[in-house]
Amino acid sequence: MPIKKMWGGRFEQAGDQSIDEFGASISFDQEMANEDIMGSLAHVKMLKQTGILASDDADQIIAGLENLQNKLAAGELHFTVENEDIHMNIEALLTAEIGPVAGKLHTGRSRNDQVATDFHLYVKERLPLVIKQLKALQGALVQQAEANVETIMPGYTHMQHAQPISYGHYLMAYFQMFQRDVERFQFNQQHTSISPLGAAALAGTTFPIDRQLTSDLLGFDHPYANSLDAVSDRDFALEFLSNASILMMHLSRLAEEIIYWCSYEFGYLELSDAYSTGSSIMPQKKNPDIAELIRGKTGRVYGDLMGLLTVMKGLPLAYNKDMQEDKEGVFDAVKTILPCLKMMTGMIKTLQVKKDQMAYATQHDFSNATELADYLATKGIPFRKAHEIVGELVLKGLKTGVDLADIPFEQYQQINPQIDETVYEVLKPTVAVQRRHSLGGTGFDQVQKQIQHAKAILKKQDAED
Ligand code: ARG
């Protein structure tokens, strides 16, 4: 005999168990059990304060909910599919705890504003954890950048050697990307910290509730202005998933480069043993599994975003059961990005930088060609002409195996008698990097400036926490 549903009054026939299972969300929304109890506590406190519930009824409910909170923390709450979702499970457990007075809790409230409240609280509590983990990664990047301001590596465009750069500069590019991620997640909080509680099913309620009070009790910035919007809005979750996707894209690009740089062909970096694995057949292997997994997990987070965008796209106002599908992707994204950030932080902190190999890669690659063209331009040769001259020298050099730095002085003099011995200085990769003093360039002074600025940002954020 199926148990009677909380909403079962107008029903004559019960669905079978497979239908119950299909409709139930308890298998995943129990993740929001604590948020659900928090929401109920705020609601009942408000019902008490506004006189909607008698004090002793409200006090019994409060005590019952607090008991449930303790039991939840102790792992002593057991949920059932018959009770469908976390909201009705908690209410059933409350009834078991304090008897029929528990039924008064749902006065002036619906599961529609309840689930929205739980979900907002869930995201609201996770955002600071993501930001904290992002800052730890930024800290690791700054630390490595500081130790590598003068470490020279090839800079690439089209994956071809372009111009030499500072490895510290390269790392600071990622710092900037993650800083934008931090800012996006911070902004996300503005659209998350809005309380749907009291919107009831869709239209508000006739009870004289105090929505500002529940909003304050739950630490939200303010209540939603429109009850239809309050129960239908999932923008905050979409923003979270979109931010998470962009973050994963950044992590994935970094992971991809780490994988490249650790290959035999590049050999710029070596992962610490802790962040690599061996092969069951090839004894020599040291595989960058953790970086690859970060790159791979990017796909699932994009999937989480696409899933929710698609769930929401055709939904009429207000609540539709489709929206029960909004949670798993967000839970999954939270559980993916936090460990990815942690792994990347550990990996960056323990990476061994093979400075010689990096520097060597800039020596015979003609990546100082722009330097020579710029130098010729300073001697009065129009840049277009200088570009052509150097292009021809490179072509010849590629055929004869002679680097620009090895071209005899007489030959340079033939090109233009104003060329003096300083040309050889200019052609050195380190000098090429050092001289890029333009704002935000790879010149050592500029990289130092970026690092100092980054440190100030991190310090300021620390102080705000
Ligand atoms: N389990 C539901 C969800 O996750 C809760 C809201 C149910 N509301 C309703 N009117 N059926 O969306």
Side-chain angles (χ1 to χ4, degrees), residues 274-380:
Y275 289 91
S276 15
T277 56
S279 153
S280 56
I281 173 169
M282 298 163 281
Q284 86 287 6
K285 287 299 273 309
K286 184 167 175 184
N287 293 330
D289 282 31
I290 303 298
E292 289 170 297
L293 262 180
I294 293 172
R295 189 175 58 183
K297 283 175 188 291
T298 305
R300 66 188 290 156
V301 176
Y302 289 4
D304 294 333
L305 171 63
M306 287 308 139
L308 186 54
L309 279 171
T310 313
V311 165
M312 295 305 294
K313 77 174 267 292
L315 293 188
L317 299 183
Y319 178 83
N320 302 271
K321 184 78 166 181
D322 314 43
M323 289 162 85
Q324 183 163 288
E325 292 292 313
D326 60 358
K327 297 165 205 60
E328 284 166 288
V330 171
F331 298 165
D332 180 69
V334 169
K335 283 183 207 145
T336 306
I337 61 177
L338 286 174
C340 283
L341 282 166
K342 188 163 178 239
M343 289 298 120
M344 186 56 93
T345 307
M347 204 151 55
I348 295 286
K349 275 189 181 160
T350 55
L351 267 177
Q352 193 195 323
V353 185
K354 296 185 174 166
K355 298 186 184 187
D356 292 347
Q357 183 72 15
M358 279 185 176
Y360 179 76
T362 65
Q363 274 158 23
H364 308 286
D365 62 349
F366 291 96
S367 63
N368 51 1
T370 316
E371 256 49 52
L372 184 56
D374 285 352
Y375 180 87
L376 296 180
T378 64
K379 299 293 174 199

Side-chain angles (χ1 to χ4, degrees), residues 25 29 84-85 87 111-112 115 319 321 323-324 327:
S25 51
D29 66 12
E84 198 177 316
D85 59 22
H87 326 295
R111 270 190 297 156
N112 296 350
V115 70
Y319 178 83
K321 184 78 166 181
M323 289 162 85
Q324 183 163 288
K327 297 165 205 60

Side-chain angles (χ1 to χ4, degrees), residues 44 47-48 52-65 94 98 100-105 107:
V44 68
L47 292 175
K48 177 180 170 183
I52 298 170
L53 280 196
S55 281
D56 48 344
D57 286 348
D59 288 341
Q60 279 187 62
I61 295 173
I62 292 169
L65 286 169
L94 184 66
I98 61 171
V101 67
K104 296 193 175 183
L105 168 62
T107 311

Side-chain angles (χ1 to χ4, degrees), residues 142 146 149 169 172 175-176 437-457:
V142 172
E146 203 162 28
V149 173
H169 189 56
M172 290 309 289
F175 174 92
Q176 294 297 337
H437 298 299
S438 57
L439 177 72
T442 190
F444 299 154
D445 59 333
Q446 289 298 321
V447 180
Q448 282 294 3
K449 267 191 193 156
Q450 290 178 59
I451 291 173
Q452 294 323 316
H453 185 57
K455 282 181 162 177
I457 290 176

Side-chain angles (χ1 to χ4, degrees), residues 217-242:
L217 287 172
L218 291 169
F220 285 114
D221 290 344
H222 56 88
Y224 271 88
N226 180 300
S227 62
L228 285 174
D229 184 39
V231 291
S232 322
D233 173 34
R234 295 294 182 269
D235 292 0
F236 67 101
L238 285 166
E239 284 177 13
F240 179 79
L241 291 172
S242 145

